[in-house]
Amino acid sequence: ATSNNEVRHVVLVLSGKGGVGKSTITTELALALRQAGKRVGILDVDLCGPSIPRMLSVGRPDVHQCDSGWVPVYTDAQKSLALMSIGFLLEDPDEAIVWRGPKKTALIGQFVSDVAWGELDVLLVDTPPGTSDEHLAVLENLKKHRVDGAVLVTTPQAVSTGDVRREITFCNKTGVRILGIIENMSGFVCPHCSECSNIFSKGGGEELAKLTGSVFLGSVPLDPLLSASVEEGKDFTQLFPNSATFSVISKISQTLLNSLQTA
C-alpha cells in the first residue's frame, strides 16, 4: 500500500438531500483550488447519477488498476486534477439504482479505500445525499487518510436547511469537524448583467451557520451560463474562471485552505 502522507487533506462534501447542486459545488471548488496552484482529487461516490465526469468532460474512460489500487483519471496534462468516480466502475450508468443496502455499502467501502491518488494537496469527496450507512462506509474507509472535515451544501429554502441539520448531527456524532456551510443558488445571475437578484429567500445558510455555531462559507450564485455549458457539453473548465460564480468559489476555497492549515 502507498504511504498515507501523500494526500494532505481530505474534505467531505455533504448535503441533506439531492438537488442542491452538491456535485457542481464539489467540481467548482476543485477547479478553484487547482487555479490556486493546488493538486486536487475528486472522489465521486455519489451513485445517484455521477455528474462530475460530465462536468469535467472525461466521459467514460477505461479505469486501470495498479499495485496500489484504481488509477484516477486526470483531467489535464499537468495531472493537477485527478478524478475517480464510482460511475467509471458501473457497466451501465443506469444500473446504479440496482445497488442496495449492504452490497452498495461494500462497493463504496472498497472503492473509497482502493484509489492510488499519489500526491494530493486536497481530496474532495462527493458523498451520496442523506446520512446513511453509505456515509459511514465512506468515513470508515477513509480512515487511512485523516478526514479533515466536511463542507455542507444547502439551498436557501428551509426544507433543505432542515436536512442539513441532520448532517450536522451526523458530523457531531462521528466526530467530523464542520469546515463550513455553503448556500447554493442563493441569487440568480442574469446572463445579460451580472447583478445578483435573489429569486430565493436569502440567508437560510447563514441563519443555520449561526444556529449551529458553524462557519458560513458563502452564497454561490446560480449562473445560467455555467449550467447551460454543462448541459451542452461545452468545456465547463474553460468557462468557469470567467463566470460570476468563480470569484465567490475562489474566496470560499481560500477560506477552506486557511482552515485546513489550522486544523
Side-chain angles (χ1 to χ4, degrees):
T2 48
S3 60
N4 303 349
N5 56 9
E6 297 181 37
V7 178
R8 293 206 181 85
H9 298 292
V10 178
V11 176
L12 305 180
V13 185
L14 302 172
S15 71
K17 60 171 189 163
V20 298
K22 175 178 50 65
S23 298
T24 310
I25 295 281
T26 304
T27 306
E28 290 172 351
L29 280 173
L31 292 170
L33 287 165
R34 179 180 75 177
Q35 198 93 357
K38 301 296 174 195
R39 271 183 306 231
V40 191
I42 300 179
L43 180 61
D44 175 14
V45 195
D46 195 345
L47 274 164
C48 319
S51 53
I52 293 180
R54 198 177 74 206
M55 292 178 73
L56 293 173
S57 328
V58 294
R60 291 184 51 78
D62 291 326
V63 199
H64 306 286
Q65 280 188 295
C66 64
D67 295 342
S68 46
W70 300 104
V71 181
V73 173
Y74 292 97
T75 59
D76 56 351
Q78 297 77 38
K79 295 198 169 185
S80 57
L81 181 51
L83 168 66
M84 189 61 200
S85 170
I86 206 154
F88 297 160
L89 306 184
L90 303 172
E91 287 298 308
D92 165 12
D94 301 326
E95 77 176 85
I97 299 96
V98 186
W99 297 94
R100 283 273 176 265
K103 187 178 181 191
K104 191 174 179 179
T105 314
L107 171 77
I108 288 174
Q110 181 202 347
F111 173 71
V112 169
S113 55
D114 291 349
V115 183
W117 289 110
E119 287 271 318
L120 286 185
D121 293 307
V122 182
L123 174 61
L124 298 170
V125 184
D126 187 24
T127 62
T131 50
S132 53
D133 303 343
E134 295 162 31
H135 277 145
L136 287 169
V138 169
L139 275 181
E140 287 302 302
N141 291 285
L142 280 168
K143 282 279 155 61
K144 64 170 186 178
H145 305 297
R146 199 185 74 232
V147 175
D148 289 78
V151 170
L152 310 180
V153 181
T154 183
T155 55
Q157 293 86 327
V159 189
S160 171
T161 47
D163 292 314
V164 176
R165 277 191 189 156
R166 285 195 284 280
E167 294 292 326
I168 291 173
T169 311
F170 171 81
C171 288
N172 293 340
K173 269 193 198 140
T174 49
V176 172
R177 175 180 169 217
I178 296 170
L179 295 164
I181 294 174
I182 296 175
E183 182 176 70
N184 198 16
M185 322 185 297
S186 33
F188 173 82
V189 179
C190 159
H192 307 292
C193 58
S194 294
E195 283 303 298
C196 225
S197 54
N198 290 304
I199 46 172
F200 299 116
S201 52
K202 201 178 158 110
E206 207 157 354
E207 246 341 77
L208 187 69
K210 275 202 197 92
L211 277 173
T212 55
S214 317
V215 180
F216 181 62
L217 289 170
S219 265
V220 179
L222 184 66
D223 191 326
L225 291 176
L226 274 189
S227 317
S229 77
V230 177
E231 293 312 313
E232 294 159 19
K234 288 201 189 113
D235 193 348
F236 184 84
T237 53
Q238 297 297 296
L239 293 168
F240 177 59
N242 305 316
S243 69
T245 313
F246 183 72
S247 58
V248 179
I249 289 277
S250 291
K251 266 202 203 90
I252 292 176
S253 64
Q254 229 18 78
T255 309
L256 264 182
L257 282 175
N258 297 341
S259 48
L260 288 174
Q261 256 104 55
T262 58

